[in-house]
Amino acid sequence: MPNPNALYTEFEFNVEWEGFLLNGHIDAIEPVTDEGGELKALLVLDYKTYRQVKAEQKDWRQVCMYDVAVADMRGRGVFPIDDDTPVVICADYVRLGTRKYWTLNELDHARLHAELTMYATGVKGGVFLPAE
């Protein structure tokens, strides 16, 4: 049986970004190649084991952090991949047999920053809302 084509698995990151420390584990980073083997994109995979689809907002926030972390690490040379190679983020809903793909951009990063700032302001002010 051939080995999986992942470049990295269970990849831990700790990235300082816009005044925040983002940390986590990316399940897998795989190359997306054409039939000739030429690299076309990086696929950042997050495996989800939900029994039913959860709120898309929660998944978006997580994958946006992955996108920011991969961009930061790529800029520091952690990933020896051309800067023009697109990054596609994917949530693989294993139990549901579906995948959701995101190609994120600076607008997503700005929205993430606004959300993190809002949460930080709430924490500093002692405002803690009950979880849904």
Side-chain angles (χ1 to χ4, degrees), residues 11-132:
F11 187 81
E12 183 177 356
F13 65 88
N14 291 292
V15 172
E16 289 187 40
W17 177 72
E18 303 284 329
F20 295 97
L21 177 61
L22 306 179
N23 58 59
H25 288 83
I26 296 172
D27 291 331
I29 299 175
E30 297 180 354
V32 177
T33 58
D34 63 14
E35 291 178 9
E38 183 179 340
L39 182 67
K40 293 296 183 184
L42 283 182
L43 182 64
V44 177
L45 277 165
D46 186 45
Y47 294 102
K48 301 292 187 186
T49 57
Y50 304 147
R51 292 188 187 275
Q52 59 188 1
V53 175
K54 297 289 185 187
E56 185 172 320
Q57 175 65 18
K58 177 181 178 266
D59 291 343
W60 170 85
R61 191 175 303 112
Q62 182 178 10
V63 299
C64 192
M65 286 184 199
Y66 290 177
D67 190 62
V68 167
V70 167
D72 176 83
M73 291 182 290
R74 179 190 232 170
R76 290 185 288 122
V78 174
F79 300 120
I81 309 252
D82 186 326
D83 285 343
D84 294 331
T85 303
V87 173
V88 178
I89 313 289
C90 175
D92 186 329
Y93 299 95
V94 178
R95 292 182 183 195
L96 304 173
T98 62
R99 283 184 164 187
K100 168 124 177 95
Y101 296 90
W102 288 269
T103 301
L104 301 165
N105 58 42
E106 290 305 315
L107 290 175
D108 290 293
H109 297 174
R111 179 176 153 203
L112 176 64
H113 187 267
E115 287 188 13
L116 293 175
T117 300
M118 177 187 68
Y119 294 134
T121 301
V123 169
K124 287 176 186 170
V127 178
F128 300 97
L129 301 175
E132 293 179 10

